[in-house]
Amino acid sequence: MKNIMLVDDSTTVLLSISTILQKAGFSTRQASNAEDALQEFKQGFKPDLLITDLHMPGMNGTEFIREVRKLSTHKFMPILFLTTESQQEKRQEAKAAGASGWLVKPVQADSLIQTLGVVLR
């Protein structure tokens, strides 16, 4: 079973995405901010995939990805942004930071699962 870390400051988003993923057979772990998730990674948690929001209080998603990519154990882990942003400039910034892909909220369950199928091959 693939393990996915979800990071978003919205409890509604965490619950809805987690439910979609669990119904599709994935295991999930959640964090409401980047700092908590980064701490879990530093303590040895290594999910198969990270899905993170862009806009969060404290460390934003782009900064978070840069920090995650500094960890040798997480350097090549797939990372997806899940955000309301759709600007090309933001996408390029995320890609430069190390994001593997981009999903715009609200994401449909089928689209999410299809994207995971591609990213987790």
Side-chain angles (χ1 to χ4, degrees):
M1 178 181 296
K2 299 283 185 179
N3 197 347
I4 300 175
M5 174 65 128
L6 304 171
V7 184
D8 199 305
D9 58 322
S10 166
T11 53
T12 303
V13 170
L14 287 175
L15 181 61
S16 64
I17 298 300
S18 183
T19 300
I20 291 168
L21 295 175
Q22 289 171 4
K23 284 182 179 179
F26 295 97
S27 171
T28 63
R29 189 179 292 190
Q30 304 171 15
S32 60
N33 61 66
E35 291 86 353
D36 288 350
L38 190 59
Q39 190 60 37
E40 287 197 46
F41 291 165
K42 288 179 177 179
Q43 291 175 353
F45 178 59
K46 189 170 186 258
D48 297 293
L49 172 79
L50 167 63
I51 299 176
T52 185
D53 189 15
L54 174 58
H55 298 291
M56 296 181 284
M59 186 185 307
N60 72 34
T62 304
E63 295 165 337
F64 176 45
I65 289 175
R66 285 189 188 111
E67 292 302 310
V68 169
R69 291 298 188 212
K70 290 178 185 177
L71 303 172
S72 62
T73 53
H74 295 73
K75 198 171 203 89
F76 302 108
M77 173 183 59
I79 301 175
L80 296 176
F81 259 123
L82 179 64
T83 184
T84 56
E85 292 284 345
S86 59
Q87 298 170 329
Q88 192 61 33
E89 178 184 319
K90 295 287 187 185
R91 289 178 187 232
Q92 292 301 334
E93 194 177 303
K95 186 174 183 172
S100 310
W102 189 280
L103 297 165
V104 178
K105 292 178 190 175
V107 66
Q108 298 297 314
D110 293 347
S111 177
L112 176 60
I113 299 306
Q114 181 181 6
T115 300
L116 295 184
V118 171
V119 174
L120 291 172
R121 274 192 259 183

